Amino acid sequence: MQLASFLEESPLTWPVANEVCIELGAGTGLAGIIAAQCLAKKVVITDYPAPEILANLRTNVSTNIRGKAEVEVKGHEWGVLDGAFERENEGRFSRVLVADCLWMPHQHGNLLRSIRWFLAAGGRAWVIAGFHTGREKMRGFYGKDALEMAGLEVERIWERNADGGEREWVEDRGREDVTERKRWLVVGILKRVGD
């Protein structure tokens, strides 16, 4: 929800108009749908290539996208980069949208590889995730070694709560109250090394 809100409510800070966007691990496709409604040139909404997941995404897109927006739904398994779709779209997207996909530490490397693969030179990946599964499950995604291995670096990273309050990102805040922890998100902007 937060990424969709950023796209819709802060077009100068989170611009997608005339950009070519891909959403990875889309779930319902909300961020990609909002990007299309905010005049992105093209949006590709992806999730794991299971027929039922893609059918749900196609229904959400056809129900919510009207007019001239160019939106596609594609199956993509993070880190698997040798398919036709992947080969045709290497370095194509100026915006990579990732919402609430950091809860599986064993997939961080694959997700980072996919982000880097699709990200165009000068583009940005916007990664937002809640702490509902715990900070320790997601902090490795932003680890220096993991980012370096993928050819990515952090442009900016911070935490934001449900009331719009912001604070510095830290990997470990010690013991956190579970209810309070769930009110916070980590917001990261990634770019290709050297961009």
Side-chain angles (χ1 to χ4, degrees), residues 135 139 159 167-176:
R135 184 178 300 268
R139 67 178 161 219
E159 297 179 21
R167 66 186 184 189
E168 178 184 357
W169 154 258
V170 295
E171 290 184 4
D172 188 355
R173 289 193 180 276
R175 187 177 173 140
E176 293 181 274

Side-chain angles (χ1 to χ4, degrees), residues 4-191:
S5 294
F6 281 159
L7 299 178
E8 191 170 40
E9 297 168 11
S10 304
L12 297 177
T13 309
W14 300 85
V16 292
N18 298 312
E19 301 287 350
V20 181
C21 305
I22 186 169
E23 183 178 7
L24 299 176
T28 62
L30 180 62
I33 289 168
I34 295 298
Q37 292 174 344
C38 290
L39 307 177
K41 183 187 293 183
K42 178 176 177 125
V43 179
V44 178
I45 300 174
T46 73
D47 207 324
Y48 188 79
E52 54 279 353
I53 293 172
L54 300 179
N56 183 56
L57 278 170
R58 287 187 182 99
T59 298
N60 290 347
V61 167
S62 66
T63 301
N64 293 287
I65 299 295
R66 304 274 189 261
K68 299 179 182 176
E70 185 181 347
V71 181
E72 291 181 60
V73 172
K74 295 287 186 181
H76 171 67
E77 183 176 348
W78 301 337
V80 179
L81 307 172
D82 57 356
F85 167 72
E86 290 77 13
R87 287 191 310 272
E88 292 167 12
N89 289 284
E90 181 181 6
R92 180 169 183 213
F93 298 94
S94 55
R95 299 288 181 263
V96 177
L97 312 174
V98 181
D100 208 21
C101 293
L102 304 185
W103 53 276
M104 298 179 295
H106 65 283
Q107 285 292 332
H108 288 174
N110 289 330
L111 179 54
L112 286 165
R113 279 189 292 282
S114 288
I115 290 169
R116 175 58 180 87
W117 181 267
F118 290 116
L119 190 61
R124 295 296 181 266
W126 297 330
V127 182
I128 298 179
F131 290 115
H132 54 279
T133 58
R135 184 178 300 268
E136 65 280 354
K137 291 215 180 209
M138 68 174 60
R139 67 178 161 219
F141 179 84
Y142 291 107
K144 183 181 176 189
D145 291 342
L147 289 168
E148 281 181 6
M149 187 177 297
L152 296 166
E153 60 188 0
V154 172
E155 181 174 84
R156 182 173 177 223
I157 188 170
W158 69 99
E159 297 179 21
R160 181 180 173 90
N161 72 11
D163 300 319
E166 296 184 353
R167 66 186 184 189
E168 178 184 357
W169 154 258
V170 295
E171 290 184 4
D172 188 355
R173 289 193 180 276
R175 187 177 173 140
E176 293 181 274
D177 176 77
V178 174
T179 302
E180 178 63 18
R181 180 188 77 204
K182 290 179 181 180
R183 296 177 47 81
W184 287 88
L185 304 163
V186 60
V187 182
I189 301 173
L190 302 179
K191 61 182 184 172

